[in-house]
Amino acid sequence: SVAQGTVMRKLLWIVIIAVVWIYGSGFMGLGPRGAMDYLNEWEQHSLNGDAERICEMMHEELKFSIDDRTTPGRPIDMQGGKAELCDYYATVVPAMKHIVSGMNVTREDVELQRDWLHPWTAEVSYTEQRSVSMAAVQMQVNTVGEDRVTLVKTLTGGIKIKALHAKTRMAGADAI
């Protein structure tokens, strides 16, 4: 019947619009620019000493590993979930706004991988060059990191970090 055909066409259009929205919103939010904007937001919260906002950016099922060799004699090897990383950041990040007078972060060799079966997920890897100025001790510290981050777009919370794997090394320190 004509009425049944009209209903089927409407349903088909609804399905098409839903698929376009699912893939389109994931593509826009998790594309190269969206991913870098999200990581830059993380850096800004870090510089502001806002551990709570950083923790809000993490997915509840977050898994992480950190291999940090930037502090001589005090290597950091950590892995765990959101609770452990939030606890660590709650201890470390608030002090940054008192110690760090400036920070410059650049990401090179950025690779973003996406899978058409998972339009709301992006795997991002990059080499990070970080220069941290600490006016109180008249020093600038330079580090190099190799990071892999998994970003997911959630229905209710926007983009979240679901996995973080970071290896960081000292690249040098200079008096300022």
Side-chain angles (χ1 to χ4, degrees):
S1 82
V2 174
Q4 197 174 23
T6 302
V7 169
M8 292 303 289
R9 277 194 297 277
K10 286 181 182 179
L11 283 175
L12 178 62
W13 276 109
I14 290 171
V15 168
I16 290 171
I17 290 169
V19 168
V20 168
W21 180 81
I22 287 170
Y23 281 88
S25 66
F27 179 77
M28 295 303 288
L30 296 173
R33 183 176 182 161
M36 289 301 105
D37 287 349
Y38 196 75
L39 295 172
N40 289 338
E41 181 182 343
W42 174 294
E43 292 298 335
Q44 190 59 50
H45 292 314
S46 182
L47 189 58
N48 294 341
D50 196 344
E52 187 175 320
R53 289 286 296 135
I54 292 172
C55 195
E56 290 172 4
M57 296 177 78
M58 297 178 202
H59 192 277
E60 292 303 317
E61 298 173 10
L62 174 113
K63 298 291 180 211
F64 79 92
S65 64
I66 295 174
D67 175 7
D68 185 337
R69 302 289 184 249
T70 59
T71 306
R74 292 191 162 176
I76 298 172
D77 283 308
M78 296 178 62
Q79 58 273 331
K82 180 178 179 178
E84 292 87 359
L85 193 55
C86 286
D87 288 347
Y88 174 72
Y89 280 143
T91 303
V92 174
V93 171
M96 287 185 68
K97 71 179 179 181
H98 302 294
I99 297 170
V100 175
S101 57
M103 183 164 45
N104 183 36
V105 177
T106 57
R107 294 180 189 94
E108 301 168 343
D109 304 322
V110 176
E111 290 185 24
L112 188 126
Q113 296 179 354
R114 307 211 32 225
D115 180 348
W116 70 274
L117 287 175
H118 303 97
W120 286 8
T121 302
E123 304 282 338
V124 185
S125 61
Y126 51 88
T127 301
E128 181 178 270
Q129 307 284 337
R130 181 181 300 265
S131 179
V132 179
S133 299
M134 297 173 279
V137 292
Q138 299 293 306
M139 182 177 278
Q140 179 174 309
V141 175
N142 302 303
T143 63
V144 176
E146 299 291 331
D147 296 349
R148 285 182 298 118
V149 179
T150 302
L151 299 174
V152 295
K153 185 168 182 158
T154 65
L155 287 174
T156 57
I159 297 173
K160 299 286 183 183
I161 296 173
K162 191 165 183 181
L164 168 66
H165 303 284
K167 283 181 117 174
T168 309
R169 305 287 181 261
M170 180 69 80
D174 304 307
I176 54 174

